C-alpha cells in the first residue's frame, strides 16, 4: 500500500535524523543493541548516563505519543511465550556477538559503506527470511 | 547537555520507529516473507534512514562532535565468525517474532506482555553473549 510506504519513508528519515544527531552532537553511533548491551554487561559503564538518557527517550517518546494520540498497537505476530523467549535469546546473543543490529549495522554501518555493516545486514536478512519460510510456510507455526 | 541530546536522539529514534511501522511485528515479518504477501515498506524505512545518516558521515569528516570528544573510528573490515554467526542468530530471532532491539524498546510502553517477555529474554541473551563468544572463539581456534 503506497501510503504505508510513505509512512515508512517518513519514519525512516526521522530514524536517520536521530542517528545524525547522536553522531554529530555526541559523537556516538546509534545502535540499539550496543547501547543496551553495554549497560547489561558493564562494558559501557563509562558513559552510563548518556546511554540511560537515550533509552529514556526511546521508551518515553513513543509512550507519550501513544497516550496523546490514543495510538492502538497492532496485534503481535505471536503471543507464545516459548517463541518469544527463544527469539529474545537469539536476538540478545546474536546482536552482541555481531556487535550490532538493524540500527547499528544496518542504518549507521551501511550509510558509511562499512563492509562489516553490509555483510551483517545481508546475513540477518537472509536468516530472517529463511526462518519465516521455515516456520510459516513449512512448519506452519507462525 | 550530552544527556539531553542523547534523550532527544533516542526520542526521535522511537518516534521514527513508530511512524515507519517498525514496531508492527506483522509488517516486519511481512518484509521477511518473500514467499508470502511480501511487504516492501521496510526497504523504504531503511532507505529513508540511510539518507540523513550518510549526510551526517560526510559532515563528520575532518570535524569533531559538537559536544566534544571524537568520532568513532572506522573498525577494521574484519569479517570474523562472530559477525556472521551473530547476525544469523539475530536474523532467526527477528524472523520468528518480528522484533529487533530498537522497536522492542520503543514499544515497551504499549506492546504488552509479548514485548515484555521478548525484551527480558533479549537482555538475558545479552548477559549470556560473552560466554557464548568465548566458546565460539575456542571452537573456531580448535577447528
Amino acid at each position: 500500500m503506497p501510503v504505508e510506504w510513505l509512512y515508512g519513508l517518513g519514519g525512516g528519515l526521522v530514524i536517520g535524523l536521530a542517528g545524525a544527531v547522536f553522531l554529530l552532537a555526541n559523537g556516538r553511533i546509534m545502535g540499539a543493541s550496543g547501547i543496551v548491551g553495554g549497560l547489561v554487561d558493564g562494558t559501557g559503564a563509562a558513559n552510563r548516563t548518556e546511554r540511560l538518557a537515550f533509552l529514556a527517550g526511546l521508551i518515553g517518546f513513543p509512550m507519550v505519543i501513544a497516550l496523546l494520540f490514543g495510538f492502538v498497537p497492532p496485534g503481535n505476530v505471536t503471543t507464545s511465550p516459548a517463541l518469544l523467549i527463544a527469539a529474545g535469546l537469539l536476538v540478545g546473543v546474536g546482536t552482541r556477538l555481531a556487535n550490532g543490529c538493524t540500527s547499528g549495522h544496518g542504518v549507521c554501518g551501511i550509510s558509511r559503506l562499512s563492509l562489516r555493516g553490509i555483510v551483517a545486514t545481508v546475513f540477518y536478512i537472509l536468516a530472517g527470511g529463511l526462518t519465516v519460510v521455515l516456520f510459516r510456510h513449512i512448519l506452519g507455526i507462525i | 547537555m550530552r544527556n539531553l541530546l542523547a534523550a532527544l536522539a533516542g526520542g526521535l529514534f522511537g518516534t521514527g520507529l513508530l511512524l515507519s511501522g517498525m514496531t508492527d511485528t506483522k509488517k516486519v515479518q511481512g518484509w521477511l516473507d518473500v514467499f508470502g504477501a511480501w511487504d516492501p515498506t521496510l526497504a523504504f524505512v531503511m532507505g529513508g534512514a540511510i539518507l540523513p545518516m550518510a549526510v551526517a558521515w560526510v559532515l563528520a569528516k575532518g570535524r569533531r562532535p559538537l559536544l566534544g570528544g571524537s568520532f568513532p573510528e572506522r573498525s577494521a573490515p574484519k569479517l570474523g565468525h562472530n559477525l556472521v554467526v551473530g547476525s544469523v542468530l539475530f536474523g532467526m530471532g527477528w524472523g520468528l517474532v518480528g522484533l529487533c532491539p530498537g522497536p522492542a524498546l520503543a514499544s515497551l510502553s504499549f506492546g504488552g506482555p509479548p514485548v515484555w517477555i521478548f525484551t527480558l529474554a533479549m537482555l538475558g541473551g545479552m548477559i549470556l553473549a560473552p560466554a557464548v563468544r568465548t566458546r565460539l572463539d575456542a571452537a573456531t581456534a580448535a577447528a
Side-chain angles (χ1 to χ4, degrees), chain A residues 22-134:
Chain A
F22 206 38
L23 180 74
L24 295 175
N26 295 45
R28 313 247 311 136
I29 288 182
M30 188 187 75
S33 59
I35 292 169
V36 184
L39 286 173
V40 170
D41 63 19
T43 51
N47 38 36
R48 200 160 166 270
T49 50
E50 192 180 27
R51 289 166 190 265
L52 288 171
F54 182 90
L55 290 178
L58 174 55
I59 297 168
F61 272 45
M63 181 168 76
V64 172
I65 292 171
L67 288 174
L68 284 181
F69 298 98
F71 171 73
V72 179
N76 284 295
V77 163
T78 177
T79 51
S80 150
L83 274 182
L84 288 163
I85 290 171
L89 285 171
L90 285 167
V91 170
V93 170
T95 52
R96 291 305 278 162
L97 278 185
N99 244 322
C101 58
T102 337
S103 45
H105 277 317
V107 176
C108 298
I110 290 179
S111 61
R112 80 191 303 202
L113 298 176
S114 147
L115 182 64
R116 281 172 54 82
I118 293 167
V119 168
T121 304
V122 166
F123 274 99
Y124 65 68
I125 289 180
L126 276 179
L130 287 174
T131 302
V132 173
V133 169
L134 178 67

Side-chain angles (χ1 to χ4, degrees), chain B:
Chain B
M1 199 60 188
R2 292 192 74 85
N3 295 335
L4 200 69
L5 275 156
L8 175 70
L12 283 173
F13 183 36
T15 306
L17 288 170
L18 197 66
L19 188 66
S20 63
M22 285 288 288
T23 54
D24 181 346
T25 55
K26 286 181 179 152
K27 206 164 189 47
V28 173
Q29 214 173 50
W31 142 261
L32 291 170
D33 189 8
V34 281
F35 293 106
W38 189 60
D39 183 339
T41 308
L42 254 74
F44 287 85
V45 182
M46 267 294 207
I50 285 172
L51 222 65
M53 216 37 230
V55 174
W57 282 118
V58 172
L59 288 175
K61 226 165 239 159
R63 293 196 176 87
R64 291 197 160 272
L66 294 173
L67 301 176
S70 51
F71 286 116
E73 291 285 321
R74 183 183 271 276
S75 51
K78 191 173 160 283
L79 305 176
H81 53 271
N82 282 314
L83 184 79
V84 173
V85 174
S87 295
V88 168
L89 295 180
F90 162 44
M92 287 166 63
W94 191 37
L96 267 182
V97 305
L99 280 169
C100 53
L105 295 165
S107 54
L108 265 184
S109 62
F110 58 79
V115 176
W116 304 337
I117 295 171
F118 173 88
T119 305
L120 278 178
M122 179 178 84
L123 296 177
M126 287 176 166
I127 293 172
L128 294 174
V132 175
R133 181 189 288 262
T134 308
R135 297 212 168 178
L136 200 61
D137 286 343
T140 325

